[in-house]
Amino acid sequence: MIQTSKDVLFLVLGISILVVSFFLILLLYYLMKFFRECYKVSKSFSKITDRINETTKIVKEKGRQFTLLPLLSEAIRTIIEFLKEMKRKKEEKREEVEQESKK
């Protein structure tokens, strides 16, 4: 069957072509999986943006009916009070640590 060096060359070329083809097919398979996942992510992202757009439209419509300023000012006041309380607790804790370290 293998009689000359030319036959060995053709056998090696055939095997190498099969190996390269296998790796190219494997590469294409993983590329297709990657692009499919990208498509799914972009589709879910577009759904999220659509929901955000719908929500903003609803808020705009409701905002025309009544003003949101009292609600926003109350929310900001609550946040500021919370931050002041956190700062006060930090200062108290720092003072306790300082008093303990002096002892």
Side-chain angles (χ1 to χ4, degrees):
M1 186 155 148
I2 300 175
Q3 296 176 353
T4 63
S5 61
K6 197 178 211 182
D7 294 335
V8 173
L9 173 69
F10 290 141
L11 183 64
V12 170
L13 284 176
I15 291 172
S16 63
I17 287 172
L18 284 175
V19 169
V20 168
S21 298
F22 173 75
F23 284 114
L24 284 176
I25 289 170
L26 196 61
L27 175 72
L28 286 174
Y29 172 74
Y30 282 111
L31 279 174
M32 287 169 49
K33 281 181 68 174
F34 172 74
F35 286 126
R36 187 174 198 186
E37 288 298 317
C38 289
Y39 173 74
K40 287 179 183 178
V41 168
S42 67
K43 194 172 186 177
S44 65
F45 185 72
S46 67
K47 285 181 182 178
I48 291 170
T49 56
D50 289 343
R51 289 180 186 166
I52 290 172
N53 286 337
E54 290 174 10
T55 306
T56 54
K57 285 179 185 177
I58 291 171
V59 168
K60 283 181 182 178
E61 289 174 4
K62 298 288 182 180
R64 290 181 185 146
Q65 295 173 1
F66 66 94
T67 181
L68 293 176
L69 290 177
L71 294 174
L72 289 175
S73 65
E74 182 66 30
I76 291 172
R77 186 176 338 121
T78 306
I79 291 171
I80 290 172
E81 289 175 5
F82 176 75
L83 292 174
K84 283 181 182 179
E85 182 69 22
M86 293 297 291
K87 186 177 179 181
R88 186 185 60 79
K89 286 181 181 179
K90 268 187 180 179
E91 288 175 359
E92 287 177 359
K93 189 174 182 180
R94 186 177 343 122
E95 288 175 2
E96 288 177 10
V97 170
E98 287 176 0
Q99 288 176 358
E100 289 178 9
S101 64
K102 288 180 182 179
K103 291 181 182 179

